[in-house]
Amino acid sequence: MPTKYIIVTGGVLSGLGKGIAVASIGHLLSSRLKIVPIKCDGYLNVDPGTMNPFEHGEVFVLDDGGEVDMDFGHYERFLGVTCKSKWNLTMGKVFEMVRQKERRGDYLGKTVQYIPHVTDVIKGHIFQVVEEEKPDLVLVEIGGTVGDIENELFLEAMRQMKEDVGKQNIIYVHLTYVPIPHGVNEQKSKPTQQSVNLLKQRGIFPDIIIGRCSQFLTKEVRAKISNFCDVQPKAVITGLDVDDIYEIPIIFEQEGLPEIIHKKLNIYSPPDLRKWKSYIENIRHPTKEITVAMCGKYTRLEDSYASILEAFNHCSAHLRCKINVKWVETTDLENARVLEGVDGILVPGGFGSRGTEGKIEAIQVARERNIPFLGLCLGLQLAVIEFARNVCGLQGANSTEIDPDTAYPVIDILPEQKQITDKGGTMRLGAYTAMLKEGTIVRSLYGSAKASERHRHRYEVNPEFHEILQDNGMVFSGVSKDGRLVEFIELPDHKFFVATQAHPELKSRMEKPAPLFYGFIKACLG
Ligand code: GLN
């Protein structure tokens, strides 16, 4: 069977959940097909690693060290695949490739132009991924909305693909918005018509339209969209507003999306949502409830911590417990009081010095009051600082990221990082294996002597302080293979005080919640 392609574009508004829609389509088709998701982003950053989480939400990190769009989190969780850095194509990467080719002389004698040279690079990249992975189906998500200048070249490349791969092997799905204006109380199809017109002007004629709406689309509005946009009535699908994103595959199945795709692409891969539904049932009908304080500085934007919230959902599905998140903004914190009554304290990753003292205070509260604590990356580093200051008596201990002149640099930059001046893609990134110490909580949670988790950091526990920390009772429950880097710490004689230099939330899946999260939530449940 030739590789099939589904190209997903968006219109009217951003933030309609295109990533979730793509992941859900993938989920529904994954039973018999090998699927590769590819995301095209129009910005000129090479990757989102250099963007602030407020700008772009969480930076997702892959096994291979790629810093990619957070939609890759949805792809991995919904499709059960391990994605590769190459599958995120940004305009920054495209222009970099074009420039390299031009300098190398690949275009010698020619005027280098958007069409065909840039569009060829885009298509060439996708075909290279296909060559490497040999998938049955490629799902291409075009970021942004049709009409954005920065997406024009991607759209043009997608239009051209039809000729390259044969029209029987490719379909176009367009996600739009169907508003119900206040007072009018009627589903309106005009924005969809206009956005499909924009798409048609670019030579792309959608086969399927998904209308995001707060209700199921009415027969009338389906007929209207079908008529004006020239798609079959059956191919107009409701993208219903839902409380949790896990319901989207179920809605799409109900709406008959898999059959339409099967027919149009001549494939067959029937969905099996039984297990998925049972997880959702557990999330919806919890038998217990806890509150976890999330102590961070990006708490204004929940997307900054998307994978952590997903890992919580995965725990909810297995432990049938509702996890309330209490967002604690550590830049303006009177911790002790805010933390009253919470069942657990989580300190997530972060950069820079803003808000760190508040987090350290929260960690002290967790340690002294025997409240379950989970520290992630910066969370581990701050737990070490708190312990150094308040248990080991190293007054003013700090990380050199926060206070370069500290007398006790218990957290210091990795030696291999010292010479690096470029900021993009230069951290310690991707999956690394840690060796776990026998008899520790961490080892029992992983049920193995090794654990591989993803990383994104420049700083580490300074080896000069390993001894004093351990002498005072901190247990290094996991270290790098060469024993040099501390990957996991824990405190004995505490309900649950565990932290890791890694980001285990990135590999958490519905079928298998991240072990540390599972242990943490269980401890919160008491
Ligand atoms: N800023 C810290 C470092 O670079 C922690 C990074 C993180 O939490 N991801 O090491």
Side-chain angles (χ1 to χ4, degrees):
M1 183 179 91
T3 300
K4 306 281 178 173
Y5 295 81
I6 300 179
I7 314 296
V8 183
T9 56
V12 186
L13 288 183
S14 61
L16 290 179
K18 203 160 5 98
I20 304 285
V22 170
S24 300
I25 294 172
H27 184 83
L28 290 169
L29 298 173
S30 61
S31 70
R32 296 195 188 169
L33 301 177
K34 177 176 173 182
I35 303 179
V36 164
I38 294 180
K39 168 113 198 252
C40 298
D41 281 304
Y43 49 75
L44 295 178
N45 304 63
V46 169
D47 59 47
T50 50
M51 285 186 232
N52 177 321
F54 282 134
E55 293 265 329
H56 194 260
E58 169 186 84
V59 176
F60 198 76
V61 182
L62 301 173
D63 270 357
D64 70 8
E67 294 171 286
V68 294
D69 185 85
M70 60 183 283
D71 278 338
F72 279 87
H74 301 311
Y75 302 161
E76 287 202 337
R77 290 184 288 259
F78 276 57
L79 283 161
V81 291
T82 299
C83 294
K84 297 188 182 159
S85 166
K86 213 171 169 179
W87 304 356
N88 194 182
L89 185 58
T90 63
M91 211 35 100
K93 283 186 192 169
V94 172
F95 284 166
E96 201 179 32
M97 287 188 266
V98 172
R99 212 193 83 92
Q100 275 169 9
K101 281 164 84 69
E102 191 277 335
R103 290 291 85 182
R104 208 164 49 213
D106 289 10
Y107 306 120
L108 227 46
K110 300 244 167 56
T111 308
V112 184
Q113 294 183 302
Y114 286 137
I115 302 169
H117 302 107
V118 177
T119 45
D120 277 354
V121 163
I122 295 169
K123 290 190 296 175
H125 187 87
I126 292 177
F127 293 140
Q128 202 176 41
V129 171
V130 170
E131 188 59 37
E132 286 164 10
E133 307 294 335
K134 312 218 168 354
D136 301 305
L137 175 68
V138 180
L139 278 172
V140 185
E141 175 184 350
I142 307 296
T145 36
V146 52
D148 298 344
I149 285 186
E150 58 178 29
N151 288 318
E152 296 291 359
L153 292 164
F154 283 129
L155 289 176
E156 168 58 15
M158 294 308 110
R159 181 197 69 75
Q160 294 175 12
M161 290 251 296
K162 196 168 193 160
E163 274 309 309
D164 297 315
V165 304
K167 65 174 192 292
Q168 68 285 7
N169 297 322
I170 186 166
I171 58 170
Y172 297 88
V173 177
H174 190 56
L175 177 69
T176 78
Y177 181 50
V178 178
I180 304 172
H182 185 71
V184 180
N185 295 336
E186 189 185 40
Q187 299 177 3
K188 287 296 189 186
S189 67
K190 189 71 80 193
T192 299
Q193 294 174 39
Q194 285 172 340
S195 125
V196 169
N197 276 341
L198 286 177
L199 204 56
K200 285 182 175 170
Q201 281 166 22
R202 285 154 184 81
I204 294 177
F205 297 82
D207 299 275
I208 295 170
I209 292 176
I210 302 176
R212 170 82 185 258
C213 188
S214 56
Q215 303 169 346
F216 278 99
L217 299 181
T218 59
K219 228 170 129 195
E220 292 72 33
V221 97
R222 283 178 208 260
K224 217 164 175 181
I225 292 175
S226 155
N227 195 13
F228 280 98
C229 301
D230 204 16
V231 295
Q232 295 164 295
K234 271 200 308 214
V236 181
I237 305 287
T238 308
L240 193 69
D241 291 354
V242 287
D243 288 333
D244 69 75
I245 56 173
Y246 297 105
E247 292 176 46
I248 297 290
I250 299 171
I251 306 278
F252 283 178
E253 190 201 28
Q254 254 177 45
E255 291 277 292
L257 185 59
E259 290 90 49
I260 295 163
I261 296 175
H262 291 166
K263 215 180 242 159
K264 288 192 186 286
L265 284 178
N266 194 21
I267 52 175
Y268 185 60
S269 187
D272 178 0
L273 290 171
R274 273 171 303 181
K275 225 176 175 173
W276 193 258
K277 283 180 180 161
S278 78
Y279 291 136
I280 294 175
E281 276 305 294
N282 284 353
I283 295 175
R284 277 215 198 118
H285 304 288
T287 53
K288 35 210 174 292
E289 186 169 345
I290 55 162
T291 299
V292 172
M294 180 95 92
C295 304
K297 68 171 174 180
Y298 304 119
T299 50
R300 269 193 291 132
L301 184 72
E302 291 192 12
D303 264 1
S304 314
Y305 301 113
S307 292
I308 294 177
L309 299 178
E310 287 308 322
F312 283 164
N313 275 334
H314 304 157
C315 293
S316 294
H318 287 261
L319 294 165
R320 288 196 75 172
C321 88
K322 179 160 191 261
I323 303 171
N324 303 307
V325 176
K326 181 165 187 175
W327 297 96
V328 177
E329 181 62 44
T330 47
T331 35
D332 42 46
L333 177 92
E334 303 149 56
N335 258 325
R337 219 161 24 94
V338 198
L339 296 171
E340 217 62 69
V342 301
D343 302 291
I345 294 176
L346 190 149
V347 176
F351 293 83
S353 57
R354 196 167 62 85
T356 47
E357 285 304 319
K359 291 179 196 172
I360 291 170
E361 226 179 296
I363 294 167
Q364 185 176 4
V365 169
R367 186 177 55 77
E368 289 176 348
R369 295 197 203 152
N370 202 17
I371 303 171
F373 164 74
L374 180 61
L376 307 172
C377 202
L378 181 68
L380 172 138
Q381 299 174 356
L382 298 178
V384 168
I385 293 169
E386 192 280 324
F387 191 82
R389 288 182 188 173
N390 302 325
V391 179
C392 307
L394 305 177
Q395 254 184 44
N398 218 327
S399 162
T400 50
E401 180 184 12
I402 301 164
D403 175 8
D405 302 320
T406 172
Y408 302 109
V410 289
I411 306 295
D412 197 11
I413 194 152
L414 289 154
E416 58 270 35
Q417 286 281 332
K418 286 195 174 138
Q419 311 311 328
I420 296 175
T421 51
D422 278 5
K423 290 282 182 255
T426 55
M427 281 186 254
R428 180 172 179 250
L429 289 165
Y432 287 93
T433 300
M435 313 308 286
L436 307 181
K437 188 169 178 174
E438 225 165 314
T440 60
I441 301 178
V442 172
R443 175 142 173 185
S444 79
L445 286 174
Y446 279 94
S448 160
K450 286 182 189 174
S452 170
E453 295 289 4
R454 296 175 182 175
H455 293 69
R456 183 170 188 255
H457 65 118
R458 282 185 216 284
Y459 293 79
E460 61 159 332
V461 182
N462 187 342
E464 280 174 37
F465 294 88
H466 284 185
E467 204 178 309
I468 186 168
L469 291 165
Q470 294 184 93
D471 286 349
N472 279 280
M474 179 168 274
V475 174
F476 296 167
S477 30
V479 293
S480 60
K481 278 184 181 158
D482 60 5
R484 197 170 56 91
L485 303 178
V486 177
E487 295 280 20
F488 295 89
I489 60 159
E490 61 188 68
L491 294 181
D493 309 322
H494 191 284
K495 248 191 224 160
F496 186 96
F497 191 102
V498 175
T500 173
Q501 190 56 74
H503 289 279
E505 68 275 20
L506 299 176
K507 289 206 337 192
S508 188
R509 301 275 168 92
M510 193 62 113
E511 308 76 39
K512 196 176 183 318
L516 289 198
F517 279 81
Y518 189 80
F520 172 62
I521 298 299
K522 265 192 111 160
C524 294
L525 285 164

PDB file of all heavy atoms in Angstrom, residues 375-394:
ATOM      1  N   GLY A 375       9.601  16.902  43.146  1.00  0.00           N
ATOM      2  CA  GLY A 375      10.359  17.981  42.505  1.00  0.00           C
ATOM      3  C   GLY A 375      10.823  17.544  41.126  1.00  0.00           C
ATOM      4  O   GLY A 375      11.330  16.432  40.959  1.00  0.00           O
ATOM      5  N   LEU A 376      10.638  18.417  40.159  1.00  0.00           N
ATOM      6  CA  LEU A 376      11.005  18.085  38.782  1.00  0.00           C
ATOM      7  C   LEU A 376      12.061  19.050  38.277  1.00  0.00           C
ATOM      8  O   LEU A 376      11.813  20.255  38.219  1.00  0.00           O
ATOM      9  CB  LEU A 376       9.774  18.168  37.873  1.00  0.00           C
ATOM     10  CG  LEU A 376       8.548  17.362  38.329  1.00  0.00           C
ATOM     11  CD1 LEU A 376       7.351  17.682  37.449  1.00  0.00           C
ATOM     12  CD2 LEU A 376       8.835  15.875  38.320  1.00  0.00           C
ATOM     13  N   CYS A 377      13.220  18.546  37.960  1.00  0.00           N
ATOM     14  CA  CYS A 377      14.311  19.339  37.380  1.00  0.00           C
ATOM     15  C   CYS A 377      14.698  20.497  38.298  1.00  0.00           C
ATOM     16  O   CYS A 377      15.361  20.277  39.300  1.00  0.00           O
ATOM     17  CB  CYS A 377      13.937  19.800  35.976  1.00  0.00           C
ATOM     18  SG  CYS A 377      15.402  20.189  35.010  1.00  0.00           S
ATOM     19  N   LEU A 378      14.254  21.715  38.021  1.00  0.00           N
ATOM     20  CA  LEU A 378      14.524  22.808  38.954  1.00  0.00           C
ATOM     21  C   LEU A 378      14.006  22.442  40.346  1.00  0.00           C
ATOM     22  O   LEU A 378      14.598  22.821  41.355  1.00  0.00           O
ATOM     23  CB  LEU A 378      13.856  24.097  38.461  1.00  0.00           C
ATOM     24  CG  LEU A 378      14.081  25.323  39.336  1.00  0.00           C
ATOM     25  CD1 LEU A 378      15.537  25.774  39.296  1.00  0.00           C
ATOM     26  CD2 LEU A 378      13.179  26.481  38.917  1.00  0.00           C
ATOM     27  N   GLY A 379      12.925  21.686  40.389  1.00  0.00           N
ATOM     28  CA  GLY A 379      12.363  21.238  41.671  1.00  0.00           C
ATOM     29  C   GLY A 379      13.368  20.417  42.468  1.00  0.00           C
ATOM     30  O   GLY A 379      13.452  20.533  43.694  1.00  0.00           O
ATOM     31  N   LEU A 380      14.153  19.583  41.783  1.00  0.00           N
ATOM     32  CA  LEU A 380      15.206  18.826  42.478  1.00  0.00           C
ATOM     33  C   LEU A 380      16.294  19.783  42.946  1.00  0.00           C
ATOM     34  O   LEU A 380      16.745  19.727  44.089  1.00  0.00           O
ATOM     35  CB  LEU A 380      15.819  17.766  41.554  1.00  0.00           C
ATOM     36  CG  LEU A 380      17.056  17.056  42.136  1.00  0.00           C
ATOM     37  CD1 LEU A 380      17.026  15.558  41.847  1.00  0.00           C
ATOM     38  CD2 LEU A 380      18.381  17.647  41.675  1.00  0.00           C
ATOM     39  N   GLN A 381      16.672  20.683  42.064  1.00  0.00           N
ATOM     40  CA  GLN A 381      17.773  21.588  42.410  1.00  0.00           C
ATOM     41  C   GLN A 381      17.417  22.430  43.638  1.00  0.00           C
ATOM     42  O   GLN A 381      18.233  22.608  44.544  1.00  0.00           O
ATOM     43  CB  GLN A 381      18.102  22.485  41.202  1.00  0.00           C
ATOM     44  CG  GLN A 381      18.558  21.664  39.983  1.00  0.00           C
ATOM     45  CD  GLN A 381      18.750  22.493  38.720  1.00  0.00           C
ATOM     46  OE1 GLN A 381      18.469  23.687  38.703  1.00  0.00           O
ATOM     47  NE2 GLN A 381      19.227  21.855  37.652  1.00  0.00           N
ATOM     48  N   LEU A 382      16.181  22.894  43.691  1.00  0.00           N
ATOM     49  CA  LEU A 382      15.770  23.723  44.832  1.00  0.00           C
ATOM     50  C   LEU A 382      15.624  22.894  46.103  1.00  0.00           C
ATOM     51  O   LEU A 382      15.875  23.380  47.203  1.00  0.00           O
ATOM     52  CB  LEU A 382      14.475  24.463  44.496  1.00  0.00           C
ATOM     53  CG  LEU A 382      14.577  25.437  43.310  1.00  0.00           C
ATOM     54  CD1 LEU A 382      13.228  26.080  43.020  1.00  0.00           C
ATOM     55  CD2 LEU A 382      15.631  26.520  43.565  1.00  0.00           C
ATOM     56  N   ALA A 383      15.252  21.622  45.942  1.00  0.00           N
ATOM     57  CA  ALA A 383      15.160  20.744  47.117  1.00  0.00           C
ATOM     58  C   ALA A 383      16.553  20.533  47.711  1.00  0.00           C
ATOM     59  O   ALA A 383      16.730  20.475  48.932  1.00  0.00           O
ATOM     60  CB  ALA A 383      14.523  19.413  46.737  1.00  0.00           C
ATOM     61  N   VAL A 384      17.541  20.437  46.834  1.00  0.00           N
ATOM     62  CA  VAL A 384      18.920  20.274  47.313  1.00  0.00           C
ATOM     63  C   VAL A 384      19.371  21.563  48.026  1.00  0.00           C
ATOM     64  O   VAL A 384      20.009  21.519  49.081  1.00  0.00           O
ATOM     65  CB  VAL A 384      19.856  19.909  46.130  1.00  0.00           C
ATOM     66  CG1 VAL A 384      21.322  20.025  46.534  1.00  0.00           C
ATOM     67  CG2 VAL A 384      19.543  18.500  45.632  1.00  0.00           C
ATOM     68  N   ILE A 385      19.013  22.699  47.439  1.00  0.00           N
ATOM     69  CA  ILE A 385      19.389  23.986  48.062  1.00  0.00           C
ATOM     70  C   ILE A 385      18.741  24.112  49.448  1.00  0.00           C
ATOM     71  O   ILE A 385      19.398  24.471  50.427  1.00  0.00           O
ATOM     72  CB  ILE A 385      18.960  25.169  47.154  1.00  0.00           C
ATOM     73  CG1 ILE A 385      19.781  25.153  45.859  1.00  0.00           C
ATOM     74  CG2 ILE A 385      19.096  26.498  47.885  1.00  0.00           C
ATOM     75  CD1 ILE A 385      19.279  26.092  44.769  1.00  0.00           C
ATOM     76  N   GLU A 386      17.471  23.783  49.526  1.00  0.00           N
ATOM     77  CA  GLU A 386      16.752  23.880  50.803  1.00  0.00           C
ATOM     78  C   GLU A 386      17.423  22.985  51.844  1.00  0.00           C
ATOM     79  O   GLU A 386      17.671  23.394  52.978  1.00  0.00           O
ATOM     80  CB  GLU A 386      15.280  23.482  50.597  1.00  0.00           C
ATOM     81  CG  GLU A 386      14.348  23.793  51.755  1.00  0.00           C
ATOM     82  CD  GLU A 386      14.389  22.806  52.918  1.00  0.00           C
ATOM     83  OE1 GLU A 386      14.550  21.590  52.667  1.00  0.00           O
ATOM     84  OE2 GLU A 386      14.285  23.240  54.077  1.00  0.00           O
ATOM     85  N   PHE A 387      17.764  21.774  51.439  1.00  0.00           N
ATOM     86  CA  PHE A 387      18.375  20.798  52.345  1.00  0.00           C
ATOM     87  C   PHE A 387      19.768  21.281  52.770  1.00  0.00           C
ATOM     88  O   PHE A 387      20.140  21.183  53.943  1.00  0.00           O
ATOM     89  CB  PHE A 387      18.458  19.444  51.619  1.00  0.00           C
ATOM     90  CG  PHE A 387      18.809  18.289  52.499  1.00  0.00           C
ATOM     91  CD1 PHE A 387      17.835  17.659  53.267  1.00  0.00           C
ATOM     92  CD2 PHE A 387      20.122  17.806  52.553  1.00  0.00           C
ATOM     93  CE1 PHE A 387      18.157  16.569  54.062  1.00  0.00           C
ATOM     94  CE2 PHE A 387      20.447  16.720  53.362  1.00  0.00           C
ATOM     95  CZ  PHE A 387      19.462  16.101  54.111  1.00  0.00           C
ATOM     96  N   ALA A 388      20.506  21.827  51.802  1.00  0.00           N
ATOM     97  CA  ALA A 388      21.855  22.321  52.115  1.00  0.00           C
ATOM     98  C   ALA A 388      21.780  23.448  53.147  1.00  0.00           C
ATOM     99  O   ALA A 388      22.532  23.483  54.114  1.00  0.00           O
ATOM    100  CB  ALA A 388      22.537  22.810  50.842  1.00  0.00           C
ATOM    101  N   ARG A 389      20.827  24.362  52.923  1.00  0.00           N
ATOM    102  CA  ARG A 389      20.703  25.501  53.845  1.00  0.00           C
ATOM    103  C   ARG A 389      20.205  25.086  55.225  1.00  0.00           C
ATOM    104  O   ARG A 389      20.781  25.441  56.239  1.00  0.00           O
ATOM    105  CB  ARG A 389      19.703  26.520  53.292  1.00  0.00           C
ATOM    106  CG  ARG A 389      20.187  27.296  52.100  1.00  0.00           C
ATOM    107  CD  ARG A 389      19.097  28.291  51.713  1.00  0.00           C
ATOM    108  NE  ARG A 389      19.389  28.959  50.461  1.00  0.00           N
ATOM    109  CZ  ARG A 389      18.533  29.766  49.842  1.00  0.00           C
ATOM    110  NH1 ARG A 389      17.333  29.996  50.373  1.00  0.00           N
ATOM    111  NH2 ARG A 389      18.856  30.340  48.713  1.00  0.00           N
ATOM    112  N   ASN A 390      19.108  24.347  55.238  1.00  0.00           N
ATOM    113  CA  ASN A 390      18.402  24.147  56.499  1.00  0.00           C
ATOM    114  C   ASN A 390      18.743  22.855  57.232  1.00  0.00           C
ATOM    115  O   ASN A 390      18.441  22.713  58.395  1.00  0.00           O
ATOM    116  CB  ASN A 390      16.886  24.231  56.266  1.00  0.00           C
ATOM    117  CG  ASN A 390      16.508  25.573  55.670  1.00  0.00           C
ATOM    118  OD1 ASN A 390      17.110  26.598  55.993  1.00  0.00           O
ATOM    119  ND2 ASN A 390      15.529  25.576  54.781  1.00  0.00           N
ATOM    120  N   VAL A 391      19.359  21.908  56.553  1.00  0.00           N
ATOM    121  CA  VAL A 391      19.759  20.673  57.236  1.00  0.00           C
ATOM    122  C   VAL A 391      21.275  20.600  57.363  1.00  0.00           C
ATOM    123  O   VAL A 391      21.815  20.311  58.427  1.00  0.00           O
ATOM    124  CB  VAL A 391      19.199  19.412  56.522  1.00  0.00           C
ATOM    125  CG1 VAL A 391      19.656  18.142  57.233  1.00  0.00           C
ATOM    126  CG2 VAL A 391      17.675  19.471  56.443  1.00  0.00           C
ATOM    127  N   CYS A 392      21.994  20.906  56.269  1.00  0.00           N
ATOM    128  CA  CYS A 392      23.451  20.806  56.317  1.00  0.00           C
ATOM    129  C   CYS A 392      24.092  22.078  56.911  1.00  0.00           C
ATOM    130  O   CYS A 392      25.309  22.113  57.122  1.00  0.00           O
ATOM    131  CB  CYS A 392      24.028  20.563  54.927  1.00  0.00           C
ATOM    132  SG  CYS A 392      23.299  19.156  54.073  1.00  0.00           S
ATOM    133  N   GLY A 393      23.282  23.107  57.113  1.00  0.00           N
ATOM    134  CA  GLY A 393      23.814  24.332  57.717  1.00  0.00           C
ATOM    135  C   GLY A 393      24.664  25.172  56.775  1.00  0.00           C
ATOM    136  O   GLY A 393      25.485  25.972  57.222  1.00  0.00           O
ATOM    137  N   LEU A 394      24.520  24.970  55.461  1.00  0.00           N
ATOM    138  CA  LEU A 394      25.289  25.774  54.510  1.00  0.00           C
ATOM    139  C   LEU A 394      24.501  27.044  54.171  1.00  0.00           C
ATOM    140  O   LEU A 394      23.775  27.106  53.190  1.00  0.00           O
ATOM    141  CB  LEU A 394      25.569  24.972  53.229  1.00  0.00           C
ATOM    142  CG  LEU A 394      26.258  23.614  53.410  1.00  0.00           C
ATOM    143  CD1 LEU A 394      26.405  22.891  52.079  1.00  0.00           C
ATOM    144  CD2 LEU A 394      27.626  23.804  54.069  1.00  0.00           C
TER     145      LEU A 394
END
